[in-house]
Amino acid sequence: MDRALEFVGNHPFLFGILAVLAVLFFTIENKRSGKKVSPNTLGMMVNSQNAQLIDIRAKKKFATGYIQGSRNIPFTELKDHLDEIRAIEQPVIIVCDMGVQAGAAIQMIGKDSVYRLEGGVGGWQGAGMPLVGLKDAKPKNKGKTKPSLHK
């Protein structure tokens, strides 16, 4: 630790450049991935501003459970709907599994009033919020007995 402090003291210019680069990195990364909306804020935006929810997960994942009011446009089909999404006047909130892919979608859309759900569907469920259309998991060994370690 003493050596690190000595290095900083002996090379303030290098340390200053490192600090500026770190700030620039986080600023650019935040803009690139879009503005985040918490699960609680999402509900308020839907109720007060009529925000539109677009779920970019694959159709099969969407069918297993989604946020009420969401419209499914899989990420692979998003480029075909860009003009339609850009024409929406209300705020648009992009939903994905964990909130990461939504950042790429926001970049593609390129509109100011587009947000991403922080943590995606996982963050939504982690906040105790419900999903609509949640199907019970079907047993994989349908009609078969479960293997047992006991005889």
Side-chain angles (χ1 to χ4, degrees):
M1 184 68 181
D2 291 336
R3 294 183 77 190
L5 292 174
E6 181 182 341
F7 178 81
V8 170
N10 290 336
H11 305 286
F13 183 72
L14 290 176
F15 186 72
I17 290 175
L18 177 64
V20 168
L21 288 175
V23 168
L24 284 174
F25 171 77
F26 288 111
T27 303
I28 291 170
E29 183 62 24
N30 194 31
K31 282 185 178 182
R32 184 180 72 85
S33 62
K35 297 174 259 184
K36 298 177 195 171
V37 171
S38 71
N40 293 330
T41 305
L42 180 142
M44 291 187 307
M45 288 179 74
V46 168
N47 291 331
S48 65
Q49 301 174 27
N50 196 26
Q52 304 296 303
L53 304 176
I54 297 178
D55 193 321
I56 60 170
R57 296 177 300 150
K59 290 180 183 185
K60 285 184 179 181
K61 277 202 168 187
F62 182 79
T64 63
Y66 55 91
I67 299 171
Q68 184 173 359
S70 294
R71 177 179 169 202
N72 184 230
I73 302 176
F75 185 75
T76 56
E77 299 172 17
L78 192 63
K79 64 180 178 250
D80 299 330
H81 296 272
L82 290 178
D83 291 334
E84 178 184 343
I85 295 169
R86 289 177 184 143
I88 298 173
E89 294 180 13
Q90 299 90 351
V92 175
I93 301 172
I94 305 294
V95 178
C96 66
D97 280 321
M98 296 183 300
V100 178
Q101 196 173 31
I106 289 173
Q107 232 180 346
M108 284 174 63
I109 296 167
K111 183 179 170 187
D112 283 340
S113 61
V114 179
Y115 305 87
R116 67 185 173 107
L117 176 60
E118 186 174 14
V121 172
W124 178 260
Q125 288 182 297
M129 304 295 197
L131 293 179
V132 176
L134 189 61
K135 307 265 194 275
D136 293 328
K138 295 179 183 174
K140 290 183 180 179
N141 295 333
K142 191 174 183 181
K144 299 179 185 174
T145 59
K146 290 184 179 179
S148 174
L149 297 176
H150 305 295
K151 290 186 176 185

